[in-house]
Amino acid sequence: DIEGHTLSTSASVGIALAPADGERFEELMQKADTAMYASKARARGTFTFFNPTMDDAAKARHDLANRLRLALRRDEFRLLYQPQVFADSRRIFGAEALLRWDPIDGPSIPPSAFIPIAEDTGLIVPIGEWVIRQGCEQVRRYADAGVDCRVALNVSGVQLQRSDIVETLRRCCRDAGVSPSLLQVELTETVLMDDAIVSQEVIQGIKSLGATVAIDDFGTGYSSLAYLKQFRVDKLKIDGMFVRSLDSDQDAQAVVTAIITLAQALRLDITAEGVETAEQLVMLRALGCGDVQGFLISRPMPGHEVAAYLDRTNMSMA
């Protein structure tokens, strides 16, 4: 109790045992530290005994972090773009930029393997700035080609906390000579709630530039009506986990219906991700979902192919 307030604390504990894990203090301390990070990664507020496999995992993460630093200098990253279309006409109106890593000395590494390490090490900040810069330059190329295509960019929670994302957007748009209104920034529910005050300020700043803000993977995090009112975002994106089960799972149907109804009531746009079958598309249209993306529409593609896809699709719809 401190000045009338009850403060609660918790700990993540790592345990190393002598002599099995070592006999020297420094060795035991290092292994207990490794086990402690395993506790934090698992759930926090728990304890974990050291296991030799943790050393292997720690070494692999360390090696991958070093390779990430080199990847920025070697220009090993690239962006693919997945078209976003109107559900009723399937006309393309935008594309989501998706980060890919193709090391020059090995096979491609999926985002699920390197994004968490980039966030833990802070490398996501320069990588994220690279993504924004490349996205703005792609918008410029679309405009030069007479193509009207908005680009959606995913922003990490670490970027929100450790960088001035609004100034980065402003600078990259200025350098590329494009309007921020052609950009959409996508944030997850978890990112928004990690620091609601900072998130609210950032969203206001992004919208003041003229860009729009979407909540990505909606339905998998907090899903609080209070924060939807507080943050004043422009769009909800239904997580593909629900969409992929839409035509086979009544519970998924109920969740998707509720999200669409909520978005309509709050006058928000809505996009369904992960659309893979014609049946899913028909159901989404019947439920009133405005926009969709997924393998049924198109797999992610290089930026220059999106323009050709747009021309081809819109001509077939004419």
Side-chain angles (χ1 to χ4, degrees):
D1 290 330
I2 299 179
E3 296 182 356
H5 299 279
T6 300
L7 305 182
S8 300
T9 62
S10 64
S12 296
V13 179
I15 304 170
L17 299 176
D21 298 326
E23 297 182 349
R24 293 182 299 108
F25 173 82
E26 294 79 6
E27 183 180 11
L28 288 168
M29 194 67 179
Q30 181 269 322
K31 292 181 176 179
D33 195 52
T34 298
M36 181 269 292
Y37 279 106
S39 290
K40 292 176 66 175
R42 284 172 55 198
R44 298 179 182 270
T46 186
F47 63 88
T48 303
F49 286 91
F50 174 79
N51 185 299
T53 59
M54 293 178 184
D55 265 347
D56 297 335
K59 184 178 183 302
R61 287 175 61 85
H62 179 74
D63 291 345
L64 197 58
N66 286 337
R67 293 178 64 193
L68 273 173
R69 293 184 178 91
L70 282 174
L72 273 172
R73 297 201 293 267
R74 292 176 174 176
D75 196 25
E76 294 178 346
F77 295 110
R78 64 187 173 109
L79 291 182
L80 296 181
Y81 296 83
Q82 185 167 46
Q84 299 172 323
V85 304
F86 296 117
D88 54 355
S89 66
R90 294 180 68 167
R91 288 180 179 268
I92 183 173
F93 65 87
E96 180 181 359
L98 301 170
L99 181 63
R100 298 293 185 264
W101 179 17
D102 298 324
I104 61 176
D105 55 355
S108 297
I109 299 175
S112 58
F114 71 83
I115 291 296
I117 294 175
E119 291 180 326
D120 288 345
T121 59
L123 288 170
I124 195 66
V125 174
I127 292 173
E129 182 167 343
W130 179 89
V131 169
I132 293 172
R133 185 167 62 251
Q134 294 295 315
C136 289
E137 291 176 0
Q138 184 62 61
V139 170
R140 175 76 269 163
R141 287 190 286 271
Y142 288 146
D144 290 343
V147 175
D148 184 17
C149 184
R150 185 177 62 191
V151 169
L153 303 169
N154 293 281
V155 172
S156 159
V158 178
Q159 285 176 269
L160 228 61
Q161 297 290 337
R162 300 191 190 180
S163 68
D164 189 340
I165 194 71
V166 176
E167 178 55 33
T168 298
L169 284 165
R170 180 186 290 110
R171 183 178 67 253
C172 290
C173 285
R174 183 189 64 232
D175 292 346
V178 300
S179 169
S181 64
L182 293 172
L183 295 178
Q184 177 174 282
V185 176
E186 299 191 355
L187 307 166
T188 65
E189 295 172 283
T190 303
V191 165
L192 292 177
M193 295 307 295
D194 278 346
D195 192 327
I197 295 176
V198 170
S199 297
Q200 185 173 13
E201 292 174 351
V202 169
I203 289 173
Q204 289 174 348
I206 292 171
K207 290 172 68 69
S208 71
L209 295 178
T212 57
V213 179
I215 299 179
D216 199 13
D217 301 336
F218 188 80
T220 61
Y222 294 90
S223 301
S224 165
L225 298 183
Y227 84 71
L228 285 180
K229 180 176 183 296
Q230 173 186 356
F231 293 142
R232 299 186 181 280
V233 298
D234 302 288
K235 174 180 280 191
L236 304 182
K237 298 190 71 178
I238 306 173
D239 186 77
M241 173 181 67
F242 303 116
V243 175
R244 283 187 289 272
S245 304
L246 187 61
D247 49 359
S248 61
D249 185 337
Q250 289 188 340
D251 290 339
Q253 293 174 23
V255 171
V256 171
T257 301
I259 294 174
I260 293 173
T261 302
L262 174 63
Q264 292 170 339
L266 294 174
R267 298 179 299 281
L268 300 175
D269 294 331
I270 189 156
T271 295
E273 299 181 290
V275 180
E276 297 179 349
T277 69
E279 290 77 13
Q280 292 165 1
L281 178 60
V282 169
M283 293 182 70
L284 288 165
R285 290 173 59 180
L287 290 171
C289 180
D291 312 333
V292 297
Q293 68 181 88
F295 287 173
L296 176 67
I297 309 303
S298 172
R299 290 181 177 273
M301 61 183 71
H304 66 274
E305 294 184 11
V306 174
Y309 176 90
L310 187 150
D311 289 340
R312 185 170 63 252
T313 304
N314 286 359
M315 284 179 61
S316 68
M317 294 293 175

